[in-house]
Amino acid sequence: IAAIISSVFALAATCANAQNVENKWSVGGGVAYFSTPFKGAKNKTVPLPYIGYESEKFSASILGLSYRVFGDENFSVSAIASPRFQLVDPKDSTFMTGMSKRKSSVDIGVSAALKSDFGAFNVDIVTDALSVHKGSQVSAIIHSHLKLENWV
């Protein structure tokens, strides 16, 4: 069971490459709050430094790598790789006595993204590339922007 990220606040400054506006570097930082589901374990607040690079088809950051295999800005399929951090330590709670320490790994897989006027829909399918956990994961996310002036 992975820790749940309750909230991430990030501030980033983006600098466009002078030779090609499509290539961008980002530098920034933020804070993540991890809420644990384990009895007796403490929640964690972690600083998050951020550095990233993005071009037309490729992106890289501390969050992972992505290469767009085909598609455009409205629909794309990408090859992805990302770290899988395990923030659970058996020493965090007496409730976890006897549990072995969890190890981090790297996930690889494919991501499909669809953007529309409504928002964006992403589906990721990844598997443990290092066979640390011998598992796979499928996730689906819907992003939608809400305009505040419509609510006030």
Side-chain angles (χ1 to χ4, degrees), residues 38-57:
F38 297 109
K39 181 179 179 180
K42 294 181 181 177
N43 297 330
K44 295 180 183 180
T45 302
V46 181
L48 292 175
Y50 181 83
I51 185 165
Y53 172 79
E54 186 175 344
S55 68
E56 185 178 342
K57 290 188 172 192

Side-chain angles (χ1 to χ4, degrees), residues 3 5 7-9 29-34 43-49 87:
I5 298 177
S7 61
V8 177
F9 302 100
V31 176
Y33 177 77
F34 296 92
N43 297 330
K44 295 180 183 180
T45 302
V46 181
L48 292 175
L87 299 174

Side-chain angles (χ1 to χ4, degrees), residues 72-77 112-116 119-123 141 143:
D72 56 27
E73 62 186 40
N74 294 319
F75 176 76
S76 63
V77 175
L114 175 66
K115 295 180 184 172
S116 70
F121 180 70
N122 292 63
V123 174
I141 301 172
H143 302 270

Side-chain angles (χ1 to χ4, degrees), residues 1 36-44 87-102:
I1 299 173
T36 180
F38 297 109
K39 181 179 179 180
K42 294 181 181 177
N43 297 330
K44 295 180 183 180
L87 299 174
V88 176
D89 189 332
K91 293 183 235 168
D92 288 344
S93 170
T94 56
F95 186 70
M96 293 185 274
T97 301
M99 180 187 288
S100 61
K101 186 170 181 169
R102 307 257 173 114

